[in-house]
Amino acid sequence: MRRLSALDLFSNNSIKSRRTLSVCATKHQLHNIKTHIEMGAEQYRPPLFSVAPMMEWTDKHYRTVARIISKHAWLYTEMLAAETIVYQQGNLDRFLAFPSEQHPIVLQIGGNNLDNIAKATQLANAYGFDEINLNCGCPSAKVAGHGCFGARLMLDPKFVSEAMSVIAANTDVPVSVKCRIGVDDHDSYNELCDFIYKVSSLSPTKHFIIHSRKAMLNGISPADNRRIPPLKYEYYYALLRDFPDLRFTINGGIDCVDEVNAALREGAHGVMVGRAAYNNLWNTLAHVDSAVYGEPSSGLTRRQVLEQYQVYGDAVLGTYGNNRPNMRELIRPLSGFFYAEPGNSLWKRKADAAFLNKNITTVKSFFEETLVVIPDAVLDSPVAELPSGRKDLFANVRGLLPPPYETRTEEVVVYAQS
């Protein structure tokens, strides 16, 4: 029953009012955008399951193999800085182009300059993304420190609302924010609610992806930021209670599809999975369509997935110039494809050697050289039974909910007048 309510909530909130496009868009771009919207996100299943944006991981090559495995998972780009998009106008295909099969797909951008955010949105329109997301959660020193965006933006909800309004004014697709539950000592539930309330009240943002840890900007690494701050799923579920007109996707610490379904049964509108969808690619994504969306299993085997990916890989190998993408970049998304299977370690060693073999010039020849160490039983079997997740992940979350949020409207009035 809760699964149905999540679907209903998505359909009620996902269709955003159309806005006038920037005059900078060409007629050709306008045609592409109009066609995409008419055929657009409403034709896809809702984002009950999405793969998190991950720098240097969720590139177009990863998204290609992910889409072969799952037809319904929502895919995110790596975060792209608005400045990168603006300053690379002559080379945008390298950063923004993607095969049409990758829909539904969300572009995540980052930045702290409204002009560049507007221009980046305009430039991205021609590529037909299904949603544009603003990164307000990355804790890395390069982004949140020197870059002064990512998670640091949570300390400035007024700017975030302005940025979201600028994005929405320059696109006709839905917009969303990905954030943490707090930053450093600004980590109370009320402070999180203040951020959500101000951004949703002062901009068209109705969808928030909530990483259920706070960000620590005191110099610890992004990896430690995924490990040291405790998960507080109770904050996420309290947001569902206190903001019934908004849509929230839960993220952080959810490692398999069984745990995704546990979050959905508890009432989550959607679930975003990060490293498990990369490090354990097959055993995660191959269950999404059947176990999350209720579709019949595709019956694909690993060998069939690799056959399809080989066609893609050989078609794009070296097409950017300067030997990019190269073989290593195309094979990197498969690093977790044989996770925990016989032959996995030996295959990785064979792959490292094959990268150095000048006679291996195609993805086909790479697979011929390396897959001999993977047993046929691994390559030719459909996905195994759904792995069990932790049974206690959300066991007492309702008993831990913080007190209801009380809106502080006077602060929003001040922001609205400034």
Side-chain angles (χ1 to χ4, degrees), residues 245-312:
D245 295 331
L246 301 180
R247 188 159 48 89
F248 296 97
T249 294
I250 190 171
N251 173 230
I254 298 172
D255 293 334
C256 65
V257 168
D258 191 42
E259 294 172 1
V260 169
N261 282 334
L264 293 171
R265 285 193 298 271
E266 196 59 45
H269 300 156
V271 182
M272 176 175 280
V273 174
R275 276 149 181 79
Y278 194 96
N279 294 329
N280 195 1
L281 173 63
W282 174 253
N283 285 320
T284 301
L285 293 187
H287 288 289
V288 168
D289 292 354
S290 57
V292 177
Y293 288 96
E295 297 287 339
S297 174
S298 68
L300 279 176
T301 66
R302 283 183 173 96
R303 191 189 302 275
Q304 291 169 328
V305 170
L306 293 176
E307 288 171 348
Q308 293 185 46
Y309 187 66
Q310 173 205 307
V311 174
Y312 163 82

Side-chain angles (χ1 to χ4, degrees), residues 84-99:
T84 298
I85 298 173
V86 172
Y87 298 148
Q88 292 284 341
Q89 291 189 42
N91 195 25
L92 282 181
D93 282 359
R94 176 181 171 186
F95 296 93
L96 295 176
F98 59 90

Side-chain angles (χ1 to χ4, degrees), residues 259-382:
E259 294 172 1
V260 169
N261 282 334
L264 293 171
R265 285 193 298 271
E266 196 59 45
H269 300 156
V271 182
M272 176 175 280
V273 174
R275 276 149 181 79
Y278 194 96
N279 294 329
N280 195 1
L281 173 63
W282 174 253
N283 285 320
T284 301
L285 293 187
H287 288 289
V288 168
D289 292 354
S290 57
V292 177
Y293 288 96
E295 297 287 339
S297 174
S298 68
L300 279 176
T301 66
R302 283 183 173 96
R303 191 189 302 275
Q304 291 169 328
V305 170
L306 293 176
E307 288 171 348
Q308 293 185 46
Y309 187 66
Q310 173 205 307
V311 174
Y312 163 82
D314 282 331
V316 302
L317 186 65
T319 55
Y320 302 162
N322 197 28
N323 194 34
R324 304 289 298 275
N326 57 41
M327 188 72 70
R328 192 179 295 272
E329 290 168 331
L330 287 166
I331 300 303
R332 183 172 56 197
L334 301 175
S335 62
F337 195 56
F338 298 113
Y339 177 83
E341 295 288 359
N344 179 47
S345 296
L346 183 55
W347 179 75
K348 289 182 177 180
R349 291 197 296 272
K350 291 276 286 185
D352 286 338
F355 292 139
L356 303 176
N357 188 335
K358 294 182 179 180
N359 294 321
I360 296 177
T361 58
T362 65
V363 176
K364 180 179 180 181
S365 61
F366 179 92
F367 285 157
E368 289 172 347
E369 174 70 16
T370 62
L371 290 179
V372 293
V373 301
I374 300 295
D376 287 344
V378 173
L379 288 168
D380 295 322
S381 297

